[in-house]
């Protein structure tokens, strides 16, 4: 399969999980159960199979472990990874609902073709995580693959939801950062462009697919008419009949062609969603920067307050200063107490600022390393995808040449 | 009018035997004329000939659609059981084409050209006097000629009589052969109409596909602007798609230039043939009713017998003319269909070969 071959060629993967175990999402099954509100629901469960790689090399057939997971559990895993590794461009899941469909494809989540493509997408997701130098070492991820019962509880026990920054989800909220990191601004801009252009491409591709389907299928109408017409013709009959057969073949050929193209569309979709993951990292950096600036600002104002109280000068207007002027000064003891509190806060603040700065620099360093890794992966994958698309087109043309050569021969015998 | 079957066989000419032609006709240069009453289009008809019956070797006249209609009705009148080629329709409602749109005029011009050439290639019709006048007379000469000949009333009278006799006979004593032709034409007519719809539908789908493809290539170019490493790959894809787009436009044009007009012509032909069979039946009907009259009337026997004799000749000539023309029509139809569909296959083949080479060269 296309995806697996990509992973075996990736570089820094000596320790990666994907080298040690083989992961497949091999089956999909319809289930019915009761949801949290005790209402009956239908969902699809996916079978994850894992097998140790080493013993295979020795010629032994190692046992296959397997467990069932549903889409919502994959989502939970990903949300966990997003929170715990905010500096990583976390691989995306296949789409929740069928989007960019052309008319023949069903937009129904229960449609077998959609389920099949999702199965492949989920397998791809697991392989991506397993071959990521950082993510593959995560325990929760490993348990997701190997521990059927109690996994959900384990994830929730990590308390990752508490660590989640709700501001990350608020996409429209803007945080004015005074000194933005130019690289991240550019990257965010790029991720927006990537998302926009791939969406556009997928939309037009779906329309082109629709039209191509129409052209091929309409030729299928020839078959029956030719056959009926051939019944009244003596000399033309054979030519018409056999030409009609080739038109049927032509019309039928589009189904496989477009199904293959759907995989290409899925490859593009993966990077459409990757663009979101990229933006999330930029966003996280933006928020960290914002928090840093706010903390620095807060520290500065506290120091100022302290100085004012100590020297008795009011440099800046404050309501407190005014009221104390109007209603009388505080007692020296009160002032001392205040100064002491402030000094404690200032010290805390300085420590926090120091650690925030360190955090920020670490974040930038590790985020940028992953971004470089991602860029390389993206360029490689997209180049391959474009090549495979060209190969598909060539194959389609070859089929067309064959059918029309045959048809031409039949027509010339009419 | 009556010609023996054997002389007609010797004069068989097929469309591709242009070396035997001595009459070359083109229809071109549509021009719009606006008067107080109406707006109409005239077409230039150029004739080049080596025939001795023609005073000159080259003629250039302007004719409007009405004039073509006149010619067709004169030919039908003179040769009721010959298959007169179809004229393009007066005004096509189904396509969303305006009456004087360029597309409509061009389609009509091509069909009128075909019409005159089919007559020129017909062993009998090519020597028709009205045809000669149509090709050679100046506008005023044609008008005055049109006013002569059997008036409208006498023509109407003919029709009434024909209807009356068709009610009674014609079909009853119809030779087996013509019943076969009739059955054939019923099925053929059905199938050719369906084919007409299919061909138009294919054209429509190919056009819609082309329209979407036009947008597809440029998106890749747009994307390449935000990329570094893969910019060249993307630009390559864009260029390849654009070139394939042009190839698909060629394919589309081929369909519209070749298959669509031919199939449409045969749709019209099937109507014409049903008409010819009816007229043959009418002529037969005249004879049959006279024969019945003979059986009933005791007096005037000699007169009726004489009339019957004439009508029997008439029927025999009509049948022979139709039979010969029918065989000729079938041969032409086979040739036309074969070449039209082979052309479609070639167009598609060319398209896929071009697209194949373009894509393969790009991905290297």
């Amino acid at each position: 399969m296309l995806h697996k071959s990509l992973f075996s060629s990736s570089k820094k993967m000596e320790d990666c999980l994907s080298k040690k175990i083989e992961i497949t999402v091999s089956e999909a099954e319809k289930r019915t159960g009761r949801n949290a509100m005790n209402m009956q629901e239908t969902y699809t469960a996916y079978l994850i199979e894992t097998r140790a790689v080493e013993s295979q090399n020795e010629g032994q057939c190692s046992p296959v472990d397997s467990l069932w997971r549903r889409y919502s559990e994959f989502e939970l895993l990903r949300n966990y990874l997003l929170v715990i590794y905010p500096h990583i461009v976390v691989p995306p899941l296949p789409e929740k609902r069928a989007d960019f469909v052309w008319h023949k494809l069903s937009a129904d989540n229960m449609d077998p073709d959609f389920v099949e493509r999702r199965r492949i997408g989920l397998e791809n997701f697991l392989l991506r995580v397993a071959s990521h130098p950082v993510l593959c070492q995560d325990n929760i991820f490993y348990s997701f693959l190997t521990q059927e019962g109690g996994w959900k509880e384990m994830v929730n026990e990590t308390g990752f939801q508490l660590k989640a920054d709700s501001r990350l989800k608020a996409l429209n909220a803007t945080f004015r950062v005074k000194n933005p990191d130019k690289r991240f601004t550019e990257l965010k801009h790029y991720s927006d462009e990537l998302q926009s252009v791939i969406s556009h491409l997928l939309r037009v591709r779906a329309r082109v697919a629709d039209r191509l389907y129409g052209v091929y299928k309409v030729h299928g109408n020839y078959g029956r008419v030719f056959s009926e017409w051939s019944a009244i013709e003596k000399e033309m009959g054979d030519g018409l009949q056999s030409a009609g057969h080739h038109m049927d073949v032509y019309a039928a050929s589009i189904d496989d062609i477009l199904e293959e193209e759907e995989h290409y569309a899925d490859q593009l979709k993966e990077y459409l969603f990757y663009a979101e993951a990229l933006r999330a990292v930029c966003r996280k950096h933006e928020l960290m920067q914002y928090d840093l600036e706010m903390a620095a600002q807060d520290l500065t104002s506290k120091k100022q307050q302290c100085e004012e109280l100590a020297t008795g000068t009011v440099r800046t207007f404050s309501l407190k200063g005014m009221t104390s002027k109007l209603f009388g000064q505080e007692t020296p003891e009160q002032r001392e107490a205040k100064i002491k509190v402030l000094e404690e806060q200032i010290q805390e603040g300085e420590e926090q600022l120091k650690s925030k700065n360190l955090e920020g620099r670490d974040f930038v360093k590790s985020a940028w390393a992953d971004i470089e890794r991602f860029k390389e992966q993206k360029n490689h994958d997209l180049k391959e995808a474009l090549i495979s698309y060209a190969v598909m087109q060539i194959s389609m043309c070859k089929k067309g040449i064959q059918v029309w050569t045959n048809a031409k021969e039949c027509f010339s015998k009419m | 009018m009556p010609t023996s079957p054997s002389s007609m066989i010797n004069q068989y000419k097929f469309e591709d035997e242009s070396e035997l032609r001595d009459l070359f006709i083109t229809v071109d240069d549509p021009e719009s004329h606006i008067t107080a009453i109406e707006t109409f289009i005239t077409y230039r008809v150029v004739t080049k000939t080596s025939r001795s019956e023609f005073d000159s070797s080259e003629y250039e006249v302007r004719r409007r659609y009405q004039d073509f209609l006149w010619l067709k009705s004169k030919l039908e009148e003179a040769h009721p059981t010959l298959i007169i080629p179809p004229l393009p329709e007066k005004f096509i409602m189904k396509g969303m084409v305006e009456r004087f749109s360029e597309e409509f005029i061009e389609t009509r011009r091509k069909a009128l050209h075909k019409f005159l050439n089919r007559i020129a290639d017909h062993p009998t019709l090519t020597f028709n006097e009205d045809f000669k006048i149509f090709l050679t007379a100046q506008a005023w000469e044609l008008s005055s000629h049109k006013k002569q000949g059997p008036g409208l009333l006498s023509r109407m009278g003919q029709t009434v009589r024909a209807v009356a006799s068709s009610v009674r006979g014609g079909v009853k004593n119809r030779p087996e052969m013509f019943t076969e032709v009739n059955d054939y034409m019923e099925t053929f007519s059905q199938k050719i109409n369906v084919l007409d719809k299919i061909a138009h539908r294919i054209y429509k789908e190919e056009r819609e596909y082309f329209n979407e493809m036009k947008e597809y290539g440029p998106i890749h170019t747009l994307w390449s602007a935000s990329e570094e490493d893969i910019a060249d790959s993307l630009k390559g894809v864009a260029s390849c798609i654009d070139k394939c787009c042009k190839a698909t436009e060629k394919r589309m044009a081929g369909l519209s230039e070749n298959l669509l007009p031919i199939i449409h012509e045969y749709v019209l032909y099937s109507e014409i043939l049903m008409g010819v069979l009816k007229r043959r039946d009418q002529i037969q009907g005249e004879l049959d009713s006279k024969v019945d009259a003979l059986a009933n009337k005791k007096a005037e026997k000699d007169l009726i017998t004489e009339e019957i004799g004439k009508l029997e000749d008439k029927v025999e000539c009509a049948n022979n003319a139709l039979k010969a023309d029918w065989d000729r029509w079938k041969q032409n139809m086979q040739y036309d269909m074969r070449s039209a569909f082979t052309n479609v296959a070639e167009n598609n083949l060319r398209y896929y070969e071009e697209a194949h080479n373009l894509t393969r060269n790009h991905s290297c």
Side-chain angles (χ1 to χ4, degrees):
Chain A
M1 293 206 287
L2 197 64
H3 302 302
K4 282 195 176 143
S5 70
L6 294 175
F7 297 115
S8 52
S9 65
S10 186
K11 290 171 197 168
K12 309 162 194 174
M13 280 196 8
E14 307 82 41
D15 300 323
C16 276
L17 200 59
S18 58
K19 281 279 188 179
K20 297 181 188 150
I21 62 171
E22 197 181 281
I23 306 169
T24 52
V25 176
S26 53
E27 276 171 52
E29 212 177 75
K30 226 191 240 185
R31 299 268 177 90
T32 47
R34 295 209 168 265
N35 67 6
M37 287 169 283
N38 210 29
M39 291 186 340
Q40 199 175 51
E41 57 167 0
T42 319
Y43 63 90
T44 311
Y46 299 88
L47 184 67
I48 303 176
E49 289 182 325
T50 50
R51 182 198 300 190
V53 166
E54 284 157 19
S55 42
Q56 273 190 351
N57 294 338
E58 291 159 23
Q60 287 175 328
C61 196
S62 59
V64 173
D65 278 329
S66 64
L67 46 73
W68 292 90
R69 294 263 184 240
R70 54 186 293 191
Y71 188 83
S72 56
E73 290 175 278
F74 280 84
E75 278 185 309
L76 182 59
L77 172 65
R78 186 163 190 272
N79 287 337
Y80 163 82
L81 293 172
L82 279 171
V83 171
I84 301 300
Y85 304 93
H87 57 288
I88 299 287
V89 184
V90 177
L93 284 170
E95 54 193 354
K96 190 156 191 169
R97 251 159 278 285
D99 205 354
F100 304 110
V101 287
W102 56 281
H103 87 276
K104 196 211 153 202
L105 284 193
S106 169
D108 174 22
N109 282 5
M110 288 295 162
D111 178 72
D113 285 330
F114 178 76
V115 168
E116 172 59 16
R117 286 183 18 252
R118 184 185 256 192
R119 181 192 67 73
I120 295 170
L122 291 173
E123 184 179 283
N124 186 50
F125 167 74
L126 293 178
L127 290 172
R128 291 270 193 212
V129 177
S131 58
H132 190 286
V134 173
L135 298 178
C136 71
Q137 299 174 45
D138 188 277
N139 288 333
I140 296 289
F141 173 61
Y142 188 76
S143 309
F144 180 86
L145 297 173
T146 54
Q147 182 183 322
E148 184 146 27
W151 177 80
K152 257 199 196 154
E153 290 75 10
M154 192 195 267
V155 185
N156 291 328
E157 266 166 38
T158 63
F160 81 93
Q161 279 106 336
L162 300 169
K163 294 186 194 155
D165 191 340
S166 60
R167 295 176 300 173
L168 280 170
K169 303 265 178 171
L171 292 166
N172 292 327
T174 45
F175 297 89
R176 201 98 56 80
V177 173
K178 288 186 197 137
N179 292 317
D181 185 324
K182 204 173 127 198
R183 289 181 305 170
F184 280 97
T185 315
E186 273 171 21
L187 190 67
K188 184 148 163 254
H189 188 60
Y190 169 76
S191 71
D192 286 338
E193 279 181 356
L194 189 68
Q195 197 169 31
S196 153
V197 83
I198 295 184
S199 307
H200 191 190
L201 203 155
L202 286 169
R203 262 199 308 274
V204 176
R205 191 212 71 91
R207 290 208 298 263
V208 169
D210 220 357
R211 290 304 172 191
L212 191 64
Y213 184 79
V215 171
Y216 273 75
K217 285 301 176 189
V218 146
H219 279 83
N221 291 326
Y222 272 140
R224 199 175 77 174
V225 185
F226 281 171
S227 174
E228 290 168 359
W229 182 9
S230 72
I232 56 171
E233 297 291 344
K234 293 193 190 95
E235 289 164 39
M236 291 168 75
D238 287 338
L240 274 173
Q241 187 91 302
S242 44
H245 161 72
H246 292 298
M247 291 297 97
D248 287 337
V249 169
Y250 181 68
S253 68
I254 191 65
D255 295 311
D256 285 344
I257 289 168
L258 286 176
E259 200 185 298
E260 237 195 301
E261 244 192 52
E262 215 51 47
H263 291 295
Y264 168 70
D266 284 341
Q267 285 175 287
L268 291 181
K269 267 183 217 171
E270 194 194 10
Y271 278 91
L272 176 66
F273 303 142
Y274 252 128
E276 251 178 77
L278 201 60
R279 192 198 289 118
V281 174
C282 298
R283 192 91 170 121
K284 178 68 187 175
H285 170 77
E286 199 177 55
L287 289 172
M288 283 181 83
Q289 184 76 359
Y290 178 78
D291 286 346
L292 189 71
E293 286 177 1
M294 286 292 117
Q297 214 178 321
D298 188 57
L299 188 64
T300 313
S301 88
K302 283 206 163 74
K303 281 185 178 164
Q304 218 167 44
Q305 275 179 42
C306 201
E307 199 198 313
E308 283 167 15
L309 282 174
T311 61
T313 53
V314 180
R315 243 182 279 139
T316 53
F317 175 83
S318 76
L319 193 58
K320 217 171 183 173
M322 288 309 293
T323 53
S324 59
K325 270 209 163 145
L326 288 169
F327 299 111
Q329 301 259 347
E330 308 153 304
T331 64
E333 291 83 22
Q334 282 177 322
R335 218 190 316 151
E336 276 304 317
K338 273 203 188 135
I339 291 173
K340 201 148 196 172
V341 166
L342 276 171
E343 278 176 346
E344 269 174 35
Q345 285 180 340
I346 287 167
Q347 196 172 26
E348 236 181 85
E350 274 179 339
E351 273 171 31
Q352 268 191 18
L353 194 63
K354 210 190 266 175
S355 74
K356 269 199 167 73
N357 262 312
L358 256 166
E359 215 186 314
R361 277 201 294 272
D362 281 340
F363 180 89
V364 169
K365 192 166 141 214
S366 42
W368 213 256
D370 198 52
I371 285 161
E372 291 299 330
R373 181 207 61 81
F374 169 75
K375 273 190 193 161
E376 231 180 274
Q377 174 198 295
K378 172 207 77 163
N379 288 334
H380 174 268
D381 291 351
L382 287 175
K383 236 184 223 164
E384 296 255 322
L386 289 171
I387 290 173
S388 78
Y389 183 64
V391 168
M392 268 183 249
Q393 300 304 304
I394 290 173
S395 156
M396 180 175 90
C397 290
K398 280 207 176 103
K399 282 187 201 164
I401 289 170
Q402 188 174 59
V403 162
W404 285 103
T405 305
N406 293 339
K408 180 178 164 182
E409 212 188 297
C410 296
F411 285 135
S412 62
K413 290 199 187 124
M414 263 163 62
Chain B
M1 180 200 73
T3 45
S4 70
S6 51
S7 68
M8 284 182 74
I9 291 167
N10 293 336
Q11 287 167 33
Y12 273 169
K13 274 187 208 161
F14 296 127
E15 252 70 340
D16 57 346
E17 291 177 21
S18 47
E19 321 88 55
L20 301 172
R21 271 212 201 147
D22 55 2
L23 189 66
F24 296 89
I25 306 171
T26 53
V27 176
D28 60 14
D29 190 35
E31 240 175 47
S32 185
H33 299 258
I34 307 172
T35 69
I37 315 163
E38 54 177 349
T39 313
F40 60 91
I41 308 262
T42 62
Y43 303 84
R44 187 177 73 150
V45 179
V46 175
T47 308
K48 294 195 175 96
T49 180
S50 55
R51 286 191 198 165
S52 49
E53 311 90 83
F54 287 78
D55 294 332
S56 166
S57 61
E58 199 170 321
Y59 293 90
E60 189 179 309
V61 296
R62 293 211 76 96
R63 295 285 177 252
R64 57 185 289 190
Y65 184 75
Q66 261 181 29
D67 299 330
F68 286 84
L69 276 174
W70 168 84
L71 175 62
K72 184 166 160 83
S73 71
K74 294 302 282 181
L75 291 173
E76 280 170 355
E77 215 182 287
H79 310 279
T81 59
L82 285 187
I83 303 167
I84 314 297
L87 268 180
E89 291 117 316
K90 280 200 177 128
F91 176 44
I92 305 167
M93 281 306 286
K94 53 182 172 174
M96 243 100 51
V97 178
E98 274 180 48
R99 187 161 152 243
F100 289 134
S101 82
E102 260 181 58
E103 207 182 309
F104 177 76
I105 292 170
E106 177 58 15
T107 310
R108 181 176 266 197
R109 183 200 65 75
K110 278 195 235 170
L112 293 173
H113 176 97
K114 201 81 194 283
F115 171 73
L116 291 179
N117 277 284
R118 287 228 192 247
I119 297 172
D121 289 338
H122 192 288
T124 308
L125 298 175
T126 192
F127 297 111
N128 180 282
E129 192 58 32
D130 289 314
F131 181 50
K132 177 159 170 276
I133 292 173
F134 178 92
L135 293 175
T136 58
Q138 287 308 304
W140 60 268
E141 286 175 331
L142 184 63
S143 306
S144 76
H145 176 80
K146 276 191 196 179
K147 289 186 179 120
Q148 300 164 13
L152 186 64
L153 280 171
S154 74
R155 264 183 280 149
M156 274 178 67
Q158 267 177 15
T159 320
V160 169
R161 260 180 280 128
V163 167
S165 57
S166 72
V167 166
R168 296 191 54 197
V171 183
K172 199 173 55 173
N173 295 324
R174 183 202 277 161
E176 176 73 31
M177 189 215 145
F178 296 114
T179 306
E180 281 173 16
V181 172
N182 191 66
D183 292 343
Y184 173 91
M185 278 319 298
E186 269 178 16
T187 308
F188 180 85
S189 173
Q190 263 179 37
K191 300 312 155 196
I192 202 71
N193 272 286
V194 172
L195 267 176
D196 187 50
K197 290 198 181 71
I198 294 173
H200 275 97
R201 182 80 191 280
I202 291 178
Y203 179 76
K204 178 173 165 278
E205 293 290 341
E206 283 185 7
R207 174 178 247 163
E208 303 278 359
Y209 173 67
F210 168 69
N211 286 336
E212 296 295 350
M213 278 297 268
K214 274 194 285 188
E215 228 192 289
Y216 196 35
I219 299 175
H220 294 78
T221 310
L222 184 69
W223 185 359
S224 72
S226 358
E227 298 288 342
E228 286 163 13
D229 224 54
I230 60 172
D232 286 338
S233 300
L234 286 168
K235 277 187 232 172
V237 171
S239 141
C240 191
I241 291 176
D242 286 339
K243 290 190 186 127
C244 288
C245 201
K246 287 201 174 69
T248 209
E249 192 180 24
K250 259 193 273 177
R251 174 175 69 164
M252 208 171 84
L255 199 67
S256 137
E257 266 154 46
N258 234 289
L259 188 72
L260 263 51
I262 290 263
I263 300 235
H264 195 70
E265 200 188 2
Y266 278 91
V267 166
L268 296 172
Y269 254 131
S270 59
E271 282 167 34
I272 288 166
L273 269 149
M274 296 311 261
V276 170
L277 285 168
K278 271 211 189 82
R279 283 201 292 276
R280 191 223 67 89
D281 287 344
Q282 279 161 20
I283 294 172
Q284 174 103 45
E286 273 178 51
L287 171 64
D288 293 346
S289 62
K290 269 287 180 271
V291 170
D292 288 344
L294 187 68
N296 295 335
K297 286 191 177 157
K298 304 301 174 184
E300 299 175 322
K301 247 195 183 166
D302 291 334
L303 185 64
I304 296 176
T305 311
E306 200 189 324
E307 283 176 359
I308 286 177
K310 284 196 192 134
L311 285 170
E312 277 173 347
D313 282 342
K314 192 175 175 190
V315 167
E316 192 186 333
C317 286
N319 287 350
N320 290 336
L322 178 52
K323 163 130 201 352
D325 220 21
W326 165 250
D327 288 338
R328 184 175 171 272
W329 182 87
K330 279 227 70 188
Q331 294 243 17
N332 280 345
M333 186 274 287
Q334 185 173 350
Y335 173 84
D336 286 342
M337 290 300 168
R338 187 193 321 136
S339 62
F341 280 105
T342 307
N343 178 268
V344 166
E346 277 168 359
N347 278 345
N348 274 286
L349 210 54
R350 212 172 301 137
Y351 163 71
Y352 280 111
E353 277 168 356
E354 210 181 317
H356 175 267
N357 292 337
L358 281 169
T359 314
R360 202 188 44 188
N361 291 342
H362 144 73
S363 62
C364 276

